[in-house]
Amino acid sequence: MAANRYHLFSIFVFLLLPLFLQFYSGACDLQFNYYNESCPKAEEIIKEEVVKLYHKHGNTAVSWIRNLFHDCIVKSCDASVLLETVNSIESEQKSVRSFGMRNFKYVNTIKEALEKECPSTVSCADIVSLSARDGILMLGGPRVEMKTGRRDSRESYLTEVEKLIPNHNDTISTVLSAFQSVGIDIEGTVALLGAHSVGRVHCVNLVDRLYPTADPTLDADYAVYLKGRCPTPTPDPKAVEYARNDRETPMILDNMYYNNILNHKGLLAVDQQLASDPRTAPYVQQMAADNDYFHVQFSRAIVLLSENSPLTGDQGEIRKDCRYVNSN
Ligand code: HEM
Ligand SMILES: *[C@@H]1O[C@H](CO)[C@@H](O)[C@H](O)[C@H]1NC(C)=O
Ligand SMILES: *[C@@H]1O[C@H](CO)[C@@H](O)[C@H](O)[C@H]1NC(C)=O
């Protein structure tokens, strides 16, 4: 009798419990080629649109990479960053951390192409991840394999954004712990910051390092150049005054970023600290010396970021328009 009860108990623990856990966590539900039956052309359509947009506006590809970071590090990869302010929703795009984010309107171009082929099937969250994947390739970065099956949030998390996305002048410890909390180690964090090999920084995020006196960790000639780009200590935030992240290869996702920071030409305070902090400096050295190693680590870390606690199964929804939750 007792043995029998034990037997039933062990069936529960060893067979049923794991099933229940998988059901409730949903974490294992991302899979390769998730749309292979519901929308077999989904990944091809996203890629086509990303390529077309890149040829029209090269910096769309840059935006797709930043979108993935800002979406995924805040709670989960659920396209919450794409929601606009309307009704009870307050857009994450209003946060100071989102300053300079651009090209959101072209996400709709991608979504419209998908809706034409298979309505209400492909999530905006998967568009965020796959457009970043395809954008990385257009910018000369690595080919990244990504799973799909993410679903879209029904809310945005404006109040979480400043807590979860580090500021441009935070310490490396803060940056490392932000990434550690989503399962990304130091090596992966150093690789992800290599995204600052492309794109731009507005003067509002730079002037602290230029005025009243230039930050001594900044190369003196480079400081003069940056002051030329940002001539006043109090730039009008609406003015389009900026410097490119990487003067040498501004539209290529390569290891020039690491060479720049080793030469004291990092733009943000966090970028520059990466080269000097003893926890990160060895990886900076290695990535500066070996672009393939940078690409391998960047791929690994971007996949981890893209899989941060996704909504799956019947959680969330598949938005019809990435800017708004579906109305009931
Ligand atoms: C400690 C972490 C990070 C901080 C503090 C940070 C901060 C910033 C800031 C201040 C800008 C400039 C915004 C502007 O003035 O227009 C920027 C741009 C950018 N960031 Fe980050 N970032 C971080 C990590 C990342 C990661 C992990 C990625 C992607 C994997 C990323 C991708 C980008 C891209 C692509 C741009 C250029 C955007 C454009 O030109 O439109 N960043 N970041
Ligand atoms: C296609 O989908 C089915 C489930 O519907 C799955 O079993 C199969 O592995 C998928 N094929 C590929 C190539 O991913
Ligand atoms: C970091 O920059 C912000 C502006 O983005 C500023 O308000 C803050 O004082 C700076 N913090 C430090 C420690 O310099």
Side-chain angles (χ1 to χ4, degrees), residues 49 60-61 64 77 82 96 115 179 228-229 246 254 257 259 262 282 287-288 305 320:
E49 295 299 318
T60 50
W64 308 151
C77 297
L82 299 180
V96 288
E115 287 298 296
F179 284 94
R229 299 289 311 176
D246 173 1
D254 59 6
Y257 168 80
N259 288 292
L262 287 175
M287 288 178 200
L305 195 53
K320 280 197 79 66

Side-chain angles (χ1 to χ4, degrees), residues 167-169 208:
N167 205 355
H168 59 91
N169 54 6
D208 283 0

Side-chain angles (χ1 to χ4, degrees), residues 31-34 36-37:
Q31 44 181 272
F32 288 111
N33 210 1
Y34 177 84
N36 74 349
E37 282 172 10

